[in-house]
Amino acid sequence: MTINVETFNLTFHLWHLTSLFRIFAFLFMNEKILILDFGSQYTQLIARAVREANVYCEIIPFNKSFTIDETIKGIILSGSPFSVNETNAPGADISSFIQKTPVLGICYGAQLTVKEFGGKVEKSNKREFGRAKLHKQQNDILLADVQENSQVWMSHSDTITQLPEGFELLATTASIPVAAFRLTVNGQPLTNFPLYGLQFHPEVYHSTEGKKIIKNFLVNICGCKQDWTPASFIHETVDALQKQIGNSHVIMALSGGVDSTVAATLISRAVGERLHGIFVDNGVLRKDEFETVLKTYNNLGLNVTGIDAKDNFYTALKDKTDPEEKRKTIGKLFIDVFQHEASKIEEAKFLGQGTIYPDVIESVSVHGPSQTIKSHHNVGGLPEKMHLSLVEPLRFLFKDEVRKVGLELGIPADMINRHPFPGPGLAIRILSDVTEEKVELLQRADDIFINSLKEYDLYNKVWQAAAILLPVKSVGVMGDERTYEYTVALRAVTSVDGMTADWAHLPYEFLAHVSSEIINNIRGINRVVYDISSKPPSTIEWE
């Protein structure tokens, strides 16, 4: 078999994506919310809020055709960087939607609703951005149990200045006349397929009761049963995998990370020993990680082969200092090693992947309507001519949902709650050429740092932590001896999703302890510094 290492063919990917959705469609026949994406930076936050309410949802571009059937319990219209008054502003046929399902417009979605039904949306005298207090004008099930003066988050430059005929005001703020509204008939809200609009963003953290409002829409208005749970996902996914794979075999590259481990465990539940996992030691893993991860896989009952390829990677990385060159070298050699091992499993017809939902969500360009499918960093290319079909059991899940499913599967919490670790491993945390000696130094320093975080009950309070070996030597004194050794930088950040991050304010006594442990126990390192840069402007990884 041959695995194509070039960028995957979009036509093949679209074809396969469609096939997967057909195969897995029955998983979510009970209830589904569609989120129409108009390009908002907050669209994924809407989806996460819906999922947290145990309701399945999908994000699709506003201009993608779809059929409203009995599985769609409601539609949410997202915000957008556009103005509804622009000539080429994105639109949707909202009047046809409300003949079949409830609809909730958020910010741009609310303004689009008003404009479509004949109301007025005009440029604000000033851009309305930030916190505001919600003043309810009357009780409604959408705002049930929401407190008066509840804080909400505004982010718009247009304002609804006049509601269409038949629409009713539900809430205002001090600065805008229309913060929430509903469509009525003869003064009464619609009962079958209600239409609502919010000119604020309930999905963001700063709207303190925003998730309550979204839940009210899902439960009180759409009638969702809230039965989409990790346990139900596992049961239904295993059934779907058995139907998809049949009696065939699956090969899968494993990294020890959360996504690949959870995906492999699900596939193994479906096909048992017919899953053939391949875990490659590329020489730049963390200290003892190869042996530890293989032991965990064995305890989980996974059929995994460990490949010691350290020497091959060290040879390929020799004298390479550019981080991008390191990445490409490791990626290409990994594919070569994986392909060699995979070729031994002639009966394999499927390739397992740990792809998750943010990697495959179709998005809308702020510069105009477009549909983009982002290739996952672990894919490396689809099998040439579809000789291997993809198996991606996590492609509907966000990262936090993957962790919940993993815990439900019985995967150890230490593995599920691991910090993110880059694909090129310690190679991009050594800011110079990669040698076996430098890798060993960094592995030991990193091990002290990570284990100390766990010892001080700080590990789960930071998003990611790492030690970085700097290409800097400095003078030190050890006893009566002069030393001239390497410097290690410690990096720890707090974050929600990794898109932005702040440096973790670790206690001074903790940092002193780690510094002392590293310098006293690792010959070759005589100086430790702590990185206090945030993202942006810095990145989490140094390379």
Side-chain angles (χ1 to χ4, degrees):
M1 69 182 71
T2 301
I3 298 178
N4 178 13
V5 300
E6 301 299 328
T7 303
F8 60 79
N9 182 285
L10 181 58
T11 303
F12 279 145
H13 191 80
L14 286 170
W15 176 88
H16 186 72
L17 182 62
T18 302
S19 300
L20 280 172
F21 271 98
R22 287 198 193 102
I23 292 167
F24 281 85
F26 80 95
L27 292 181
F28 315 113
M29 291 299 289
N30 291 334
E31 56 186 36
K32 175 169 61 180
I33 297 294
L34 279 188
I35 301 170
L36 299 197
D37 181 17
F38 293 96
S40 171
Q41 61 180 321
Y42 300 137
T43 301
Q44 286 196 33
L45 295 182
I46 300 174
R48 293 172 72 88
V50 174
R51 297 282 187 90
E52 286 177 16
N54 295 330
V55 176
Y56 177 71
C57 65
E58 291 177 15
I59 298 172
I60 64 172
F62 73 91
N63 55 353
K64 180 177 181 177
S65 61
F66 61 93
T67 301
I68 300 177
D69 56 27
E70 68 277 5
T71 69
I72 297 177
K73 307 297 287 185
I75 293 175
I76 298 177
L77 312 175
S78 83
S80 174
F82 293 94
S83 165
V84 295
N85 294 319
E86 293 179 22
T87 303
N88 297 319
D93 189 4
I94 302 170
S95 58
S96 70
F97 298 164
I98 62 172
Q99 297 176 35
K100 300 177 181 178
T101 192
V103 175
L104 172 64
I106 293 177
C107 198
Y108 178 90
Q111 295 169 354
L112 183 66
T113 300
V114 167
K115 186 172 182 181
E116 180 173 322
F117 282 84
K120 288 184 180 180
V121 178
E122 298 177 307
K123 198 76 174 176
S124 302
N125 294 328
K126 63 177 181 178
R127 189 167 184 265
E128 291 157 348
F129 181 87
R131 297 172 177 84
K133 298 297 184 181
L134 196 66
H135 302 299
K136 294 196 291 185
Q137 301 302 301
Q138 58 181 301
N139 293 323
D140 184 89
I141 54 176
L142 180 66
L143 302 178
D145 298 323
V146 175
Q147 301 298 312
E148 176 65 13
N149 288 320
S150 181
Q151 178 178 287
V152 296
W153 184 259
M154 297 290 180
S155 180
H156 57 266
S157 55
D158 290 344
T159 293
I160 299 169
T161 56
Q162 182 179 320
L163 286 172
E165 184 178 351
F167 281 66
E168 192 170 29
L169 180 67
L170 296 180
T172 66
T173 71
S175 58
I176 61 172
V178 179
F181 62 83
R182 68 186 181 191
L183 175 61
T184 64
V185 174
N186 297 324
Q188 296 298 318
L190 300 179
T191 54
N192 291 334
F193 306 122
L195 172 59
Y196 284 88
L198 302 171
Q199 200 168 194
F200 56 90
H201 287 275
E203 70 273 23
V204 304
Y205 170 80
H206 300 295
S207 291
T208 54
E209 295 184 281
K211 290 183 180 179
K212 182 184 294 184
I213 295 172
I214 291 175
K215 185 177 178 181
N216 285 341
F217 176 72
L218 300 174
V219 179
N220 298 345
I221 297 169
C222 297
C224 293
K225 289 179 272 186
Q226 298 180 276
D227 57 1
W228 197 68
T229 63
S232 67
F233 175 85
I234 292 169
H235 175 74
E236 293 161 348
T237 299
V238 169
D239 285 348
L241 289 170
Q242 290 172 339
K243 289 179 171 64
Q244 181 188 7
I245 299 168
N247 295 320
S248 298
H249 289 243
V250 183
I251 57 174
M252 184 171 183
L254 298 176
S255 66
V258 176
D259 300 338
S260 66
T261 300
V262 174
T265 305
L266 282 167
I267 295 171
S268 180
R269 289 276 182 98
V271 303
E273 291 291 306
R274 287 184 284 118
L275 168 68
H276 305 268
I278 298 172
F279 180 40
V280 177
D281 185 353
N282 58 14
V284 286
L285 301 175
R286 281 177 162 151
K287 185 175 183 292
D288 301 326
E289 183 168 17
F290 185 62
E291 296 78 13
T292 301
V293 170
L294 278 178
K295 182 178 179 180
T296 301
Y297 285 154
N298 182 64
N299 292 339
L300 289 171
L302 300 181
N303 177 23
V304 179
T305 300
I307 307 299
D308 183 352
K310 291 194 297 290
D311 291 341
N312 293 345
F313 281 89
Y314 289 146
T315 300
L317 287 167
K318 185 178 180 181
D319 298 328
K320 289 182 170 56
T321 59
D322 179 74
E324 191 59 28
E325 193 175 3
K326 291 178 187 178
R327 286 187 178 91
K328 290 179 178 178
T329 299
I330 291 172
K332 183 180 184 304
L333 183 53
F334 173 81
I335 290 293
D336 291 342
V337 173
F338 178 72
Q339 181 173 317
H340 174 73
E341 295 300 322
S343 66
K344 301 175 183 179
I345 309 168
E346 296 181 356
E347 61 270 49
K349 303 297 181 185
F350 291 88
L351 176 67
Q353 293 278 187
T355 311
I356 62 176
Y357 198 40
D359 301 310
V360 296
I361 289 174
E362 296 173 82
S363 61
V364 179
S365 168
V366 298
H367 302 294
S370 68
Q371 296 184 25
T372 302
I373 295 179
K374 171 188 172 186
S375 63
H376 189 258
H377 64 276
N378 286 331
V379 171
L382 280 179
E384 188 176 11
K385 297 181 181 178
M386 303 301 293
H387 287 169
L388 291 176
S389 297
L390 282 180
V391 179
E392 298 175 302
L394 306 180
R395 68 179 301 114
F396 297 105
L397 300 187
F398 288 104
K399 189 76 170 188
D400 56 331
E401 294 169 331
V402 174
R403 296 185 193 279
K404 292 175 183 177
V405 168
L407 292 173
E408 186 74 24
L409 285 166
I411 298 173
D414 283 351
M415 177 168 277
I416 290 299
N417 295 321
R418 293 181 68 193
H419 291 172
F421 189 67
L426 299 181
I428 60 168
R429 293 178 178 173
I430 297 173
L431 307 192
S432 59
D433 61 316
V434 178
T435 66
E436 188 170 2
E437 292 73 24
K438 290 179 181 177
V439 170
E440 183 181 358
L441 282 177
L442 186 54
Q443 283 179 330
R444 294 175 64 191
D446 178 81
D447 187 60
I448 289 173
F449 186 28
I450 297 301
N451 284 328
S452 295
L453 284 167
K454 294 177 179 177
E455 179 186 343
Y456 278 71
D457 196 27
L458 293 169
Y459 185 81
N460 292 325
K461 296 177 182 178
V462 301
W463 165 267
Q464 185 172 344
I468 299 96
L469 186 66
L470 304 184
V472 175
K473 286 188 174 182
S474 63
V475 175
V477 178
M478 301 287 283
D480 293 327
E481 293 184 22
R482 174 187 181 275
T483 62
Y484 190 63
E485 297 175 336
Y486 283 106
T487 300
V488 161
L490 303 181
R491 176 75 159 145
V493 298
T494 57
S495 180
V496 174
D497 54 13
M499 299 301 292
T500 61
D502 192 14
W503 61 277
H505 295 224
L506 299 177
Y508 291 149
E509 60 271 20
F510 168 79
L511 292 173
H513 164 79
V514 174
S515 176
S516 177
E517 287 294 302
I518 290 175
I519 292 171
N520 289 335
N521 290 283
I522 305 176
R523 182 177 294 274
I525 298 172
N526 69 356
R527 193 175 297 272
V528 175
V529 298
Y530 187 57
D531 182 352
I532 60 169
S533 308
S534 297
K535 176 187 178 183
S538 301
T539 54
I540 296 176
E541 295 289 347
W542 280 40
E543 288 191 340

